[in-house]
Each structure stands twice: as C-alpha cells, then as structure tokens.
Amino acid sequence: GFLMNKRFVKFFFGVLMVLILVELMFVDRHNSNDKYYDLIATFNKIDGVNEGNLVMISGVNVGYVDKVVLNKNYPVLKMKIKKGLRISDDSSVSIQTDGLFGSKFLSVEMGGNDNYLVSGDSFSFAEDSMLVQDLLKNIIQLGEKNKKWKKIILNQFLVFSH
C-alpha cells in the first residue's frame, strides 16, 4: 500500500518535471512580439553577429537581432525594436564589439529628422563590423608609412645641416 503510493507519487512528480522542462524548451526566449516592431539593415559583412544579439542606443538595450538572412549575397538583419521608441529615418546602425574581443551588438546612431522609421522599414546607412585583424593591419600600415616619412625627413635634415 504505502510503497505503491510512494512509487506513484515519484512517477507522477517525474512526469510533471518532464512536462515542465518540455514547456520551458518551447517558451519564446524574448517577450511576445506585440511589444516590438521590425527594422531591417543590410550590411556587406556582419562577422560574429548572431540572432539574439542586442540592439543599443547610447548603451541602452532597445531590442535584439531577430533574424539573419542572405539576400543577393548580402547579410540582412531583421531587428526587433521596443515599441514606443521612435527612430528617425536618417539614423544609422553599425556593428560594434563589446571590448576588444567581446560579443557583437548593433548600435543605432540617432539622426535628426522628424520622419520616423515604421515597422518593416530599412536603415538607409549601415556600417559593417570592424575585424580586429583589419584594425591591426591598418595600424601596422600607418606605422610603416610613418617610418618612411621619418627616414625622408631625417635624410633631408642631415642634407641641410651639412
């Protein structure tokens, strides 16, 4: 009697836990879509941007990347932006990195127009992500260029000082 009841309670509790875990797997990670509207941006390269990455304005979270798709070989990001937030149609969006090697996020630079983007609109200007290796290459090239100029200036100085 008692042992059978204990087994039944454990079985029932186990089934209940499995049902709760299955329900949690299918819960949408983000709040319901009626709190957001869609904006779209097309980039040349989006290295490291994934669905779920944040969209920020002045460091404040205002949404997230909902979908990443390719359209005519260009990456297109569909963003969910909190409703009630008005973004002017001359605003731009850029891919930024949190720190030197951190995660990527989208940063919206607000424009000054009185015309605002509505759901389904695209940003007219989108700035690609800057790769660390590209940045380092630019710094090295700048250093090499400066080294050549220093040599030229030093040689001119030596010629004039004699």
Side-chain angles (χ1 to χ4, degrees), residues 85-142:
L85 187 68
R86 298 188 330 166
I87 299 176
S88 61
D89 64 0
D90 63 337
S91 297
S92 66
V93 62
S94 63
I95 299 172
Q96 302 293 323
T97 306
D98 189 15
L100 194 56
F101 298 106
S103 61
K104 302 280 184 175
F105 65 93
L106 297 181
S107 179
V108 176
E109 287 294 321
M110 299 297 269
N113 270 355
D114 289 336
N115 300 330
Y116 298 99
L117 296 171
V118 296
S119 193
D121 281 354
S122 292
F123 283 92
S124 53
F125 182 73
E127 187 182 341
D128 296 337
S129 67
M130 180 63 135
L131 293 174
V132 173
Q133 57 263 35
D134 291 346
L135 191 62
L136 291 174
K137 191 167 71 176
N138 290 348
I139 291 170
I140 290 168
Q141 286 173 347
L142 195 62

Side-chain angles (χ1 to χ4, degrees), residues 1-64:
F2 176 71
L3 194 59
M4 201 63 163
N5 276 347
K6 197 172 185 183
R7 233 185 236 162
F8 176 74
V9 168
K10 281 185 176 180
F11 173 77
F12 182 74
F13 187 71
V15 169
L16 190 65
M17 287 320 243
V18 168
L19 287 174
I20 289 172
L21 288 174
V22 167
E23 179 67 26
L24 285 174
M25 285 183 350
F26 292 107
V27 169
D28 191 10
R29 203 171 81 156
H30 298 285
N31 298 348
S32 60
N33 286 340
D34 60 346
K35 295 181 181 172
Y36 295 93
Y37 67 98
D38 298 333
L39 289 182
I40 296 160
T42 303
F43 293 89
N44 292 314
K45 59 182 179 180
I46 60 162
D47 308 287
V49 176
N50 297 304
E51 292 175 4
N53 284 115
L54 297 179
V55 178
M56 314 271 264
I57 295 177
S58 301
V60 177
N61 178 11
V62 296
Y64 62 94

